[in-house]
Amino acid sequence: MSDQPSEASRPPEKPRGADTPRPPEPPAAAEAAGTPAANEPGPSEARPVGATPADTARPSPAQASDGRRQRAQAAQQAGQPGSPWQHGAGAPAAKDDGMTARLRPPPPPLIRPAVLGSVLATALLSALFLSDGLGVNLLIVAVPASLAAFFAAQAAGRRLRPWTATWAVGGLALLAVPALRDAGWPTFLAVVSAFALGSLALHGSRSWPGVLIGSLGLFDSVVPGIIWGVRGIRARAGGSRANWGATLRTTAVALVLLVVFGTLFASADAAFAELLSSLMPEASVGAGPWRTLLFALGLAGALAAAHAAAAPVRWDGLTVRPGKPRGRAEWALPLIVLNLLFAAFITLQLVVLFGGYDKVRDVTGLSHAEYARQGFWQLLWATLLTLLVIALALRWAPRGGTGDRTLVRSVLGPLCVLTLVVVASALRRMDLYVDEYGLTRLRISVAAMELWLGVVLILILAAGVFGARFLPRAVAVSAAAGVLAFGLISPDGLIAEQNVQRFEDGRSTSIDIDYVKDLSADAVPALDRLPEPERSCALRFIQNDVLHDDTPWYATSWGEARAKEILEKRPVKGDGSDCYRVSREGPGDGYEPDDDGYDPY
């Protein structure tokens, strides 16, 4: 036994210097260290009966050691530097005066059962529905993942703000593109944009670094989310083993009842059996590893989303120092010269756009389409470089007062307006070229890009008038809205519609079969209007993909379902022997290929 008296039998002694006033501790630190409130006397302040001041002035060596140990434990609990794994899993936040202190949030609360249930549902649905392709199954999986994030944010005390709702609704709307369109390229853009908007909804960023990094910030929560989930399951399981057993028994009984009675009803009615077979995903031993991987990805993704909702990284803490302000003349003169150059170029463009092509043909010898093709890419690059010039000009702009702000607006405002005219000129050139040679995927993509750059310029002009606080989020919203609109208009369907319309109007003597036959099922309604043999030649490859595809309903888009219905009613004719002749007679695109046959346009 120890020769020291126990804590219960020995009165606490007051350390030396206790009468010296100390600054008050923060509430969080005082609570973590176990110190009493200011209006409540602690045990060390109570003097036992019969004790003199001399008895309470000097602590013994054992008590001094215990006091140092308690102070060390209190300091660690109050936020001394600890393991980053512990912080990510919900341990006390690290106290750091550097970058980590500005970015890392307080630890999330213990994971709730509702969050665990939503996470498990996300993992199961991912394993069942995502193995056969993309379609409405993405929306099905996104619903429980969104609920997990909502429940976690609610438990952490976060409120739903307008911008958070905007990001969340926009992300779910983008996931409707795979359910509607068969083309892979707008689907890819929509899925990537939906992920970015979902990450922004969880982090709530508003600055330029916050919006740019926050759109990918969900990756930072993957490992902490898994650790947080494991610790939450351990804590829940240790305190409520009986509840877990009841839950497992209830689930097992429900599954047995569904299997037994579902089998009986399916054997009793063929229509019901066909309905069940179409609704339920097929399970096979060969797909087991792939479904296991999807289960793990769904589990990790849902936990990361829930952890980010409960404890989001403050990416707005990343700041970029403004550049050194330049003098008015040094800053303004190069931009004024650039404005004059833009004005001279645009003056010529206005003459050309409003009927001056005859003079241009006389001088250059180029046709309308050749003239349009010659300058579109240059104008696109000019627009991009102008945005870069505006960003650098704002970084080094003079910031002395009202006069400097007026100078910046009077120089950069006209530059934005003149650049908008350049955007209009580039789009007009593309319209002339498409009218001459037809629409392609590359042409519609770069035209959409140029149009979005014009929207960004308009937002910059609005920021100059109303303030730039909203600009990062507004640019992100405009990009997401552009991707959503691009997917909803069905690019492949629009390409087929424009080329078929040119053929019907007589602007083209034939249609480019070699190009349109590689379009997706979204193009079938437009290509179905072609006469024979052009129709069968254009739809033969699409029919082989659509009619012989056994993709289940949850991985089939509306574009595929509509194409399948059309081709079942009117299948292609012939054996394809006429297609080579039709392809050779197809129109060119206005470009004579080089020896390597490569046409980037």
Side-chain angles (χ1 to χ4, degrees):
M1 296 180 63
S2 172
D3 57 349
Q4 297 293 336
S6 65
E7 293 293 331
S9 62
R10 178 169 186 155
E13 296 183 1
K14 192 173 184 179
R16 183 179 300 176
D19 295 331
T20 305
R22 293 182 298 174
E25 294 183 3
E31 182 180 358
T35 56
N39 57 354
E40 297 179 1
S44 62
E45 296 177 358
R47 181 180 301 173
V49 178
T52 63
D55 296 333
T56 60
R58 296 181 179 179
S60 66
Q63 274 198 317
S65 177
D66 293 340
R68 286 193 296 269
R69 187 183 301 110
Q70 293 176 359
R71 286 194 297 271
Q73 294 176 355
Q76 183 178 3
Q77 295 177 0
Q80 293 297 328
S83 171
W85 294 93
Q86 292 179 351
H87 170 70
K95 181 179 180 182
D96 189 1
D97 295 332
M99 185 69 67
T100 305
R102 297 199 305 268
L103 298 183
R104 290 296 173 186
L110 188 66
I111 190 169
R112 294 174 57 184
V115 178
L116 288 174
S118 300
V119 167
L120 183 59
T122 304
L124 289 174
L125 293 176
S126 299
L128 291 175
F129 293 128
L130 294 184
S131 61
D132 298 301
L134 299 182
V136 71
N137 49 8
L138 279 178
L139 275 173
I140 295 175
V141 172
V143 170
S146 302
L147 289 177
F150 174 76
F151 293 143
Q154 193 178 45
R158 295 185 66 188
R159 294 181 298 172
L160 182 63
R161 299 182 181 276
W163 274 105
T164 303
T166 301
W167 302 129
V169 173
L172 292 176
L174 283 165
L175 291 181
V177 174
L180 297 175
R181 303 299 172 218
D182 177 54
W185 52 303
T187 294
F188 173 78
L189 292 176
V191 172
V192 171
S193 301
F195 177 87
L197 289 193
S199 184
L200 287 175
L202 297 173
H203 292 88
S205 304
R206 64 181 63 186
S207 64
W208 280 113
V211 170
L212 293 176
I213 302 177
S215 60
L216 301 174
L218 192 58
F219 290 110
D220 183 75
S221 300
V222 173
V223 174
I226 294 174
I227 300 175
W228 177 58
V230 170
R231 294 191 174 184
I233 291 175
R234 288 179 178 176
R236 299 288 182 186
S240 57
R241 295 182 182 273
N243 293 336
W244 282 99
T247 302
L248 292 176
R249 289 192 299 270
T250 302
T251 304
V253 171
L255 289 176
V256 170
L257 292 176
L258 285 176
V259 171
V260 171
F261 286 93
T263 303
L264 290 175
F265 290 150
S267 61
D269 188 280
F272 186 75
E274 184 178 356
L275 177 63
L276 283 183
S277 63
S278 63
L279 291 179
M280 296 300 295
E282 296 182 1
S284 61
V285 179
W290 174 236
R291 292 185 185 274
T292 302
L293 177 61
L294 290 175
F295 180 89
L297 291 177
L299 187 71
L303 283 173
H307 185 273
V313 180
R314 302 185 183 96
W315 296 112
D316 285 335
L318 296 173
T319 56
V320 179
R321 294 182 180 180
K324 181 180 179 180
R326 306 296 179 180
R328 293 186 178 182
E330 179 185 1
W331 179 85
L333 283 178
L335 295 175
I336 292 175
V337 172
L338 183 61
N339 280 339
L340 294 176
L341 177 63
F342 268 67
F345 176 77
I346 288 169
T347 300
L348 177 62
Q349 293 300 296
L350 292 177
V351 173
V352 171
L353 290 177
F354 291 103
Y357 275 113
D358 293 336
K359 183 177 181 180
V360 172
R361 184 186 297 109
D362 295 338
V363 175
T364 63
L366 300 176
S367 65
H368 287 197
E370 292 170 341
Y371 181 80
R373 180 193 180 91
Q374 185 187 51
F376 174 81
W377 289 102
Q378 290 85 342
L379 296 183
L380 177 62
W381 279 107
T383 306
L384 290 170
L385 292 177
T386 302
L387 289 175
L388 178 62
V389 168
I390 292 173
L392 296 177
L394 290 173
R395 178 174 174 81
W396 291 311
R399 297 182 288 272
T402 305
D404 289 337
R405 289 195 296 270
T406 302
L407 175 65
V408 170
R409 292 176 179 177
S410 61
V411 173
L412 293 184
L415 181 60
C416 290
V417 174
L418 293 172
T419 309
L420 281 175
V421 181
V422 171
V423 170
S425 175
L427 292 175
R428 174 58 178 162
R429 288 171 181 258
M430 176 57 70
D431 180 65
L432 290 171
Y433 194 81
V434 167
D435 186 69
E436 183 73 20
Y437 296 111
L439 194 60
T440 63
R441 287 177 172 176
L442 181 59
R443 293 165 193 169
I444 193 174
S445 300
V446 294
M449 180 69 178
E450 184 75 20
L451 184 61
W452 176 69
L453 292 177
V455 174
V456 172
L457 288 168
I458 295 175
L459 292 175
I460 293 174
L461 285 172
V465 177
F466 303 105
R469 183 179 181 182
F470 73 96
L471 186 59
R473 291 178 289 186
V475 171
V477 168
S478 68
V483 172
L484 178 60
F486 190 72
L488 293 181
I489 65 172
S490 182
D492 279 9
L494 190 62
I495 292 169
E497 177 68 31
Q498 197 270 350
N499 284 277
V500 170
Q501 190 64 44
R502 292 178 65 253
F503 180 73
E504 292 177 342
D505 295 342
R507 286 177 290 168
S508 177
T509 57
S510 59
I511 191 167
D512 192 351
I513 299 297
D514 287 335
Y515 187 83
V516 298
K517 70 180 182 181
D518 293 327
L519 297 176
S520 65
D522 299 330
V524 170
L527 298 178
D528 185 55
R529 305 203 316 259
L530 289 172
E532 294 292 349
E534 284 84 358
R535 176 187 177 276
S536 295
C537 293
L539 295 177
R540 187 173 304 278
F541 288 98
I542 301 177
Q543 176 176 284
N544 292 335
D545 294 335
V546 171
L547 296 186
H548 298 88
D549 190 9
D550 56 351
T551 304
W553 64 271
Y554 49 81
T556 302
S557 65
W558 179 70
E560 289 178 284
R562 185 175 56 168
K564 184 175 182 179
E565 181 182 359
I566 293 173
L567 292 173
E568 286 178 344
K569 292 180 179 179
R570 294 183 58 200
V572 298
K573 300 178 181 179
D575 57 357
S577 58
D578 295 334
C579 295
Y580 179 76
R581 177 182 57 82
V582 173
S583 300
R584 296 292 295 176
E585 294 175 356
D589 64 349
Y591 180 76
E592 293 297 333
D594 296 329
D595 294 336
D596 58 358
Y598 173 69
D599 180 10
Y601 193 48

